[in-house]
Amino acid sequence: MTLLSTLSPKHSGDKGMEYNLFTLKEHPEMASDFDAMNEAGWPTFMLYDEVAIQYYSQVVEIFPQFQFCIADESGTVMACCNSVPFYWDGTEEGLPAGWDHVFMKSIEDYHQGRVPNTVSALAIVIHPSYRGKGISGIMLDALKGIVKSHSIEQLVAPVRPSSKSKYPLIPMDKYVHWQNDKGDSFDPWIRTHLRAGAKIVKLAPESMKINGTVADWESWTNMKFPESGTYIVPGALVPVTIDVEKNEGRYVEPNVWIQHFI
């Protein structure tokens, strides 16, 4: 974790926790912290999404004001968020197909001169040392603040449910309706969004696609795939399909579109 030498004004979050927020526009030298946080926070295979590999550097360059981290009082980075502005007509049908599509659409809209009216979160990653301390709610509030500061009133996210990987054989359309003993959403990350006033809009059944050779998948998962079939791998929300004859593995991740009201 990096120490931020020059801190921005303090903010107060849940339970009185004080933190400092900075964007890449203010501190471009902190771009490496986003990379380090993503590497620490995601399963290895998630870092090989072809869309992200192609477009991430453009997102950081074009939209630095929508990429932010928070740090504690010592300057230690606790969590980071990537997000992008784009144009959305407000209808369910008009939402991008998912994570990959909104990534590309934000860049396309920018180059075509479309004025954005919506921001989509791409990822909120909390360092393992700070998980379970209410940081997720703080990050959502911070993101809402950034969206509002740019006079944008719509915030959406193709949410990756945090506990879905424990239940990879359960269809997403069933999983999102599970409830805990208190009648709240069973999934912690979905629950955090709903408690913040959001609503579920619809599923994104093909939100992200990751392809690789059999050797790639064996390296990413530290597993062996002796024959073709579907495999449950750590961190995946659904099984991965391996075709040994074609020497390819394919992962199609479903997400859940959630909308916040600014």
Side-chain angles (χ1 to χ4, degrees):
M1 292 181 287
T2 298
L3 292 178
L4 185 65
S5 57
T6 305
L7 294 178
S8 57
K10 288 183 178 179
H11 302 259
S12 292
D14 293 343
K15 302 177 183 178
M17 177 183 292
E18 291 191 337
Y19 63 93
N20 301 88
L21 184 150
F22 66 92
T23 69
L24 277 188
K25 184 175 182 178
E26 300 161 337
H27 291 276
E29 75 280 3
M30 301 300 291
S32 60
D33 280 86
F34 286 80
D35 296 335
M37 195 69 71
N38 283 321
E39 289 179 9
W42 299 114
T44 301
F45 67 84
M46 293 285 289
L47 305 177
Y48 291 90
D49 177 277
E50 294 176 3
V51 171
I53 291 172
Q54 181 176 355
Y55 290 100
Y56 182 77
S57 61
Q58 293 185 59
V59 163
V60 170
E61 179 181 355
I62 296 171
F63 307 121
Q65 69 274 32
F66 291 102
Q67 323 308 317
F68 72 93
C69 290
I70 64 171
D72 63 17
E73 292 180 323
S74 71
T76 301
V77 175
M78 299 185 289
C80 293
C81 173
N82 294 114
S83 61
V84 289
F86 71 106
Y87 178 79
W88 176 38
D89 64 9
T91 67
E92 289 187 22
E93 297 76 17
L95 274 173
W99 195 89
D100 284 346
H101 189 196
V102 76
F103 220 125
M104 294 186 291
K105 190 177 187 319
S106 67
I107 300 297
E108 178 184 311
D109 284 358
Y110 172 80
H111 287 301
Q112 294 188 2
R114 293 193 188 100
V115 178
N117 65 351
T118 306
V119 168
S120 175
L122 293 175
I124 292 178
V125 186
I126 301 168
H127 191 279
S129 299
Y130 288 90
R131 291 174 184 169
K133 301 180 184 294
I135 302 296
S136 57
I138 289 174
M139 291 296 284
L140 279 179
D141 286 344
L143 177 55
K144 286 182 179 180
I146 287 177
V147 172
K148 186 175 182 179
S149 72
H150 288 86
S151 301
I152 294 177
E153 298 182 351
Q154 300 184 118
L155 171 63
V156 296
V159 171
R160 186 177 201 265
S162 57
S163 290
K164 178 65 173 68
S165 61
K166 299 177 181 178
Y167 309 93
L169 300 181
I170 302 298
M172 184 67 86
D173 59 349
K174 291 185 177 180
Y175 179 82
V176 295
H177 294 294
W178 283 7
Q179 295 182 338
N180 62 18
D181 294 340
K182 297 181 179 179
D184 297 322
S185 176
F186 175 84
D187 187 83
W189 193 210
I190 293 179
R191 187 165 64 244
T192 296
H193 281 274
L194 298 183
R195 285 179 174 174
K199 72 170 185 177
I200 294 175
V201 179
K202 67 175 184 177
L203 300 184
E206 297 186 355
S207 186
M208 174 187 293
K209 300 175 182 178
I210 299 175
N211 300 300
T213 65
V214 174
D216 286 335
W217 279 100
E218 289 182 341
S219 173
W220 298 339
T221 61
N222 196 29
M223 294 174 61
K224 289 293 184 181
F225 304 107
E227 62 181 56
S228 300
T230 54
Y231 290 82
I232 295 173
V233 305
L237 305 193
V238 295
V240 175
T241 300
I242 298 292
D243 190 321
V244 173
E245 289 71 26
K246 294 182 179 180
N247 190 29
E248 63 183 23
R250 181 171 175 80
Y251 174 68
V252 181
E253 178 169 294
N255 290 157
V256 183
W257 275 114
I258 286 182
Q259 181 181 9
H260 287 264
F261 302 91
I262 306 301

